[in-house]
Amino acid sequence: MACLRRAPDVTQGKKMASKRTKNSVNKRRILLVEDHPIVAVGLKEMIRGNKGLEISGQATGLTDVLSQLKTCWPDLLILDFDLKSGDGFEIIRSLVEKCPNLPILVISGHDEELFANKILRAGAMGYIMKRSTTDELLKAIRAVLDDEIYLSTDLMKKFLKSHFAPRSQESIKAELSLRELEVFQLIGQGLTMKQMAAKLHLSIKTVETHRDHIRQKLDLEDAAAVRRLACNVKNNHRIRHRFGSRA
């Protein structure tokens, strides 16, 4: 499906003009994707009456969204991450793939520290908690409509700190299992997958799986980033850990 802004239908121009008030012509349209009635009512109430914004439609799942986009293209899509009809990450990825020019603001009840980064990586442009105030919601909407990434002020500070501040040994040790720490240390020592597998009495595939888990847990881009961090930790302060039984 090609998601392009629909060209105006000249034959219906007069009809559409007669139905719209002067104040509604320049309003930014929002498609709400929400299958919890109470939450939907609350969101509409928070947005209703704010100058320049209007709810142009409501969908309850991915199929419904794609169907509505054929007839009405919004300026913003607000997506509840916790839809009953599917996995939130998969819905975001599908929308980004099919409609790359449609900005998405995600709302969720999940802890933003745990989910926001992954949701942005999936392709959304903003993340806001369901417990947020009306002012916070409107601020997020305006930011995403202005083609900006939106996170709460507190989360943005933590996000910047975690991405630019050096990782401590303790933070790494807290996030990885004993086996993953072993693999991480050996990566820092420059061993190959084959050498690590022999040293740990594991298959190469298992070692690669541990490395991938390390990458995911430490939020690193690829295997090369894992190696750089492991070497950096080794060169500064080698992780000291007494390993117990093998996982």
Side-chain angles (χ1 to χ4, degrees), residues 166-170 172-173 184-185 229-241:
R167 260 187 208 276
S168 69
Q169 295 179 44
E170 293 304 316
I172 293 174
K173 289 165 65 176
F184 186 75
Q185 279 191 303
L229 178 60
C231 291
N232 182 62
V233 170
K234 175 181 177 293
N235 292 334
N236 286 283
H237 296 286
R238 186 172 182 174
I239 296 177
R240 297 174 181 176
H241 196 97

Side-chain angles (χ1 to χ4, degrees), residues 49-85:
N50 286 276
K51 185 177 180 181
L53 300 176
E54 68 176 3
I55 300 292
S56 60
Q58 180 182 342
T60 58
L62 179 60
T63 301
D64 194 9
V65 170
L66 297 178
S67 176
Q68 293 196 37
L69 289 178
K70 293 177 181 178
T71 58
C72 181
W73 187 268
D75 298 292
L76 170 68
L77 186 145
I78 296 181
L79 171 69
D80 187 341
F81 184 77
D82 306 304
L83 295 176
K84 302 172 186 176
S85 59

Side-chain angles (χ1 to χ4, degrees), residues 4-14 16 20 29 71:
L4 303 174
R5 187 177 295 277
R6 291 173 61 85
D9 187 338
V10 177
T11 61
Q12 295 183 2
K14 293 183 179 180
M16 293 175 66
R20 289 186 177 183
R29 295 178 295 183
T71 58

Side-chain angles (χ1 to χ4, degrees), residues 81 89 92 106 108 115-124 126-127:
F81 184 77
F89 289 115
I92 295 171
V106 173
S108 173
F115 280 81
N117 189 35
K118 293 181 180 180
I119 284 174
L120 293 183
R121 285 181 180 277
Y127 183 91

Side-chain angles (χ1 to χ4, degrees), residues 1 5 10 36 48 87 98 111 117 132 150 158 161 198 226-227:
M1 169 185 159
R5 187 177 295 277
V10 177
H36 298 85
R48 184 180 293 117
D87 177 80
K98 299 178 187 302
D111 188 332
N117 189 35
S132 300
Y150 181 85
K158 294 177 181 177
K161 182 178 180 180
V226 174
R227 183 172 295 278

Side-chain angles (χ1 to χ4, degrees), residues 92-123:
I92 295 171
R93 294 189 187 101
S94 294
L95 286 171
V96 170
E97 179 183 354
K98 299 178 187 302
C99 313
N101 297 320
L102 178 60
I104 301 172
L105 172 63
V106 173
I107 60 171
S108 173
H110 296 292
D111 188 332
E112 60 181 357
E113 287 190 51
L114 299 176
F115 280 81
N117 189 35
K118 293 181 180 180
I119 284 174
L120 293 183
R121 285 181 180 277

